[in-house]
Amino acid sequence: MQYQHTDATLALMKQAPVIPVMQVADAADALAQAKSLIGGGLTVLEITLRTKAALKSIEMLTRAFPEAIIGAGTVTDADQMEAAIDAGAAFLVSPGMTRRLLKAARKSPIPWLPGVATASEAMTLHEHGFRCMKFFPAEAAGGVKYLSSLAGPLQDLVFCPTGGINPEKAKAYLELSNVACVGGSWMVAPALINAGDYAAVERLAKEACALRAPV
């Protein structure tokens, strides 16, 4: 079985080595973050649905930056899926997967990157047709060593590790054969955003682009 969005999901995972995970406070914040990240070369952006401004920001950024791929993260139920799709999200990311959420995910018209933390969870999703998955929380769930150990028995799977990753750790993950990209928020750290240091955001985005994933 092959999930219908596998090719599209792989394509967006391989577009850049890092998918920034953005938490936005309002429209101005979303625009400033996105402009700096895209200016630095990161064009696949995940807006986490943890704030009231998230859905409106997805809608706005999709219009403002047609060259970018704007997705929704922290999707935990079917209602959020529908709301994110209505807002124009081009892909969805979840921290894990329940039976109800899996049922909704299989009907999603856009790519979905489901979260897994164990081999059993990954195998279960593979049985339902998923090849591309988010490994979360990456560092807490075993890090590079654990994910590397899955490459042998689960050769068909491709991961985007997220959670506790910095530039140094990102480089180590990207050297794994079963990793296409990583997710991270170090380039949009709260200290930088609160200080309005978007020049640093763009610089860190450029550095992240230099962390090339293996072909």
Side-chain angles (χ1 to χ4, degrees), residues 62-119:
T62 298
R63 293 197 306 266
F65 302 102
E67 72 276 23
I69 302 174
I70 311 297
T74 322
V75 177
T76 58
D77 59 52
D79 289 342
Q80 287 181 320
M81 178 194 82
E82 294 177 5
I85 292 172
D86 288 343
F91 66 95
L92 303 169
V93 184
S94 59
M97 188 62 74
T98 65
R99 291 182 180 179
R100 288 184 179 181
L101 193 57
L102 177 58
K103 184 177 180 180
R106 287 182 54 78
K107 296 179 181 179
S108 171
I110 60 176
W112 194 309
L113 200 60
V116 299
T118 68

Side-chain angles (χ1 to χ4, degrees), residues 5-171:
H5 297 302
T6 292
D7 291 344
T9 307
L10 275 172
L12 71 87
M13 291 173 75
K14 292 180 178 180
Q15 184 155 321
V18 180
I19 297 178
V21 180
M22 300 168 55
Q23 183 165 301
V24 298
D26 51 39
D29 177 36
L31 279 170
Q33 287 191 47
K35 182 178 180 181
S36 298
L37 291 169
I38 294 169
L42 298 179
T43 55
V44 180
L45 310 179
E46 176 189 334
I47 312 297
T48 180
L49 300 183
R50 297 177 185 174
T51 65
K52 294 180 179 180
L55 290 173
K56 285 293 185 181
S57 295
I58 291 171
E59 183 177 352
M60 175 184 60
L61 296 179
T62 298
R63 293 197 306 266
F65 302 102
E67 72 276 23
I69 302 174
I70 311 297
T74 322
V75 177
T76 58
D77 59 52
D79 289 342
Q80 287 181 320
M81 178 194 82
E82 294 177 5
I85 292 172
D86 288 343
F91 66 95
L92 303 169
V93 184
S94 59
M97 188 62 74
T98 65
R99 291 182 180 179
R100 288 184 179 181
L101 193 57
L102 177 58
K103 184 177 180 180
R106 287 182 54 78
K107 296 179 181 179
S108 171
I110 60 176
W112 194 309
L113 200 60
V116 299
T118 68
S120 294
E121 291 172 357
M123 290 169 65
T124 297
L125 285 177
H126 192 217
E127 285 183 352
H128 288 278
F130 286 89
R131 278 193 61 214
C132 304
M133 304 174 193
K134 170 182 177 177
F135 178 53
F136 177 83
E139 285 297 290
V144 171
K145 187 174 182 180
Y146 184 85
L147 195 54
S148 175
S149 71
L150 298 184
L154 304 178
Q155 297 180 14
D156 197 37
L157 305 188
V158 182
F159 296 93
C160 172
T162 307
I165 297 177
N166 59 28
E168 292 73 27
K169 292 175 181 177
K171 184 176 180 180

Side-chain angles (χ1 to χ4, degrees), residues 186-211:
W186 71 84
M187 70 291 295
V188 285
L192 296 177
I193 303 305
N194 292 337
D197 193 353
Y198 295 105
V201 172
E202 184 169 344
R203 173 178 56 79
L204 289 170
K206 289 179 179 177
E207 293 174 0
C209 281
L211 300 170

